[in-house]
Amino acid sequence: MFQTLAREIQLCYGFVRRDLGTGLLPVPGFTLASLLYRKASGEEMIPAIGHAFLYGFLYLYTFVVSNQITGVHEDKVNKPDRPIASGAESVSAATIRYWTLTTLYLAYGYSLGVWEWALLWIVTTIAHNPLGFSNFGPTKDLCMGLGCIAQLKAAWALGGSPPQMGWEWIKIITLYMLWPIPLQDLRDVPGDLAAGRRTTPILLGDVPARVYISAGIIVSQFLLIKYRILEYRYDTSTLALSAALVLMTAGCIFRLFAFRSLTSDRFSYWLYTVIYVFQPLSAAITLR
């Protein structure tokens, strides 16, 4: 029993470990923003944040299992330590895992009253992975934008605030996920070429892709800082918050051009995900 549990924990970690930042953490972060916006009590916050963590985990877990089922050949080049690529889990076993997790995810979303956003993510996952939308840059990027909407709309609803204010933030955060998301593909170009994919960096070429990504980061963060953070609350906390976002943005863009290697691009993508996670937390600080 203990060995089975230990193996399951190891497999689960192997599936999700690279994507915990973008897949899990924005859900409780944006749920917290929703709770603070409506001045929820501490007694309300604890269970809501707990639900948000579990929902975010299932959101992430369903996607990464599906993604790794359809991306075995790429993973053998780019990420050979993943469970399926390494041989720790078979494709057939992972398929059973995916459908079990998806059923649990949809049922849990239904119980929380966010089933429509869970369903949107399931449909997006199917389009991105088995239907092959991830093989072409524009459709892959669109799926990531839809995934951001599904993730954050559910998170805001779990906090119980009216949807309008949440949507005002989600629109800009989604722009950050939709436009500069090809940054994640810079680190995977060798594997994508081997798999025959045409991601945005492959379609545009290396330097134009870096310009395109940088423009998306700059525009989205300018809109977030000017029209969401500082327009709603102008005080020491939001000025410090804005300064932190500016520094991270500048650092990410500097790295994109100063250190152009697969190793550096992996770190730049990590910084990009830190900025993404920081944005729901920015909403929590601003809307408190």
Side-chain angles (χ1 to χ4, degrees):
M1 177 70 75
F2 178 76
Q3 289 181 336
T4 301
L5 179 61
R7 180 180 181 276
E8 185 59 34
I9 293 173
Q10 186 178 21
L11 281 173
C12 174
Y13 180 69
F15 276 114
V16 305
R17 72 182 184 87
R18 281 187 171 89
D19 301 288
L20 284 169
T22 54
L24 171 60
L25 296 181
V27 180
F30 208 52
T31 297
L32 177 62
S34 178
L35 290 163
L36 291 172
Y37 180 64
R38 70 176 181 88
K39 312 299 182 187
S41 66
E43 291 77 10
E44 290 179 276
M45 287 187 178
I46 294 173
I49 295 297
H51 287 309
F53 266 106
L54 180 55
Y55 182 87
F57 176 75
L58 290 172
Y59 170 98
L60 167 64
Y61 202 0
T62 56
F63 179 81
V64 295
V65 172
S66 174
N67 183 250
Q68 291 173 42
I69 289 170
T70 58
V72 178
H73 296 301
E74 177 202 345
D75 286 343
K76 286 182 177 179
V77 176
N78 291 329
K79 307 175 185 78
D81 59 321
R82 282 179 163 178
I84 302 175
S86 68
E89 175 96 318
S90 68
V91 171
S92 59
T95 301
I96 295 171
R97 180 185 297 268
Y98 167 71
W99 286 111
T100 301
L101 287 167
T102 298
T103 302
L104 290 173
Y105 172 59
L106 184 58
Y108 192 56
Y110 179 82
S111 72
L112 296 175
V114 294
W115 65 269
E116 66 270 45
W117 306 117
L119 184 60
L120 174 60
W121 184 229
I122 291 169
V123 172
T124 302
T125 296
I126 292 171
H128 184 276
N129 297 324
L131 294 184
F133 281 37
S134 63
N135 294 327
F136 183 59
T139 54
K140 180 179 182 180
D141 301 344
L142 175 62
C143 285
M144 293 299 96
L146 291 173
C148 178
I149 292 172
Q151 181 189 54
L152 297 182
K153 286 288 281 186
W156 186 264
L158 292 177
S161 284
Q164 184 56 40
M165 177 58 76
W167 179 238
E168 293 300 313
W169 282 76
I170 290 168
K171 287 187 292 187
I172 293 179
I173 299 174
T174 297
L175 181 65
Y176 179 78
M177 181 56 70
L178 176 65
W179 185 346
I181 190 61
L183 199 162
Q184 72 175 336
D185 298 318
L186 288 174
R187 62 197 177 132
D188 293 334
V189 167
D192 288 334
L193 286 171
R197 290 179 171 176
R198 293 186 296 158
T199 58
T200 300
I202 293 172
L203 290 171
L204 295 178
D206 186 70
V207 173
R210 292 174 191 272
V211 173
Y212 172 81
I213 291 163
S214 299
I217 295 174
I218 291 169
V219 170
S220 61
Q221 294 314 287
F222 170 78
L223 293 174
L224 182 78
I225 291 169
K226 180 173 176 59
Y227 295 107
R228 291 298 170 266
I229 297 174
L230 296 181
E231 187 173 278
Y232 187 88
R233 182 187 296 272
Y234 192 90
D235 61 13
T236 303
S237 66
T238 55
L239 287 172
L241 174 64
S242 300
L245 283 168
V246 168
L247 287 174
M248 287 190 289
T249 296
C252 187
I253 293 169
F254 173 77
R255 290 191 58 86
L256 280 175
F257 293 95
F259 308 106
R260 290 162 55 188
S261 68
L262 292 180
T263 301
S264 177
D265 288 338
R266 289 189 183 98
F267 186 85
S268 297
Y269 177 65
W270 174 82
L271 183 54
Y272 168 85
T273 63
V274 171
I275 296 171
Y276 177 68
V277 173
F278 207 65
Q279 292 177 81
L281 292 177
S282 298
I285 293 169
T286 304
L287 299 175
R288 71 190 190 281

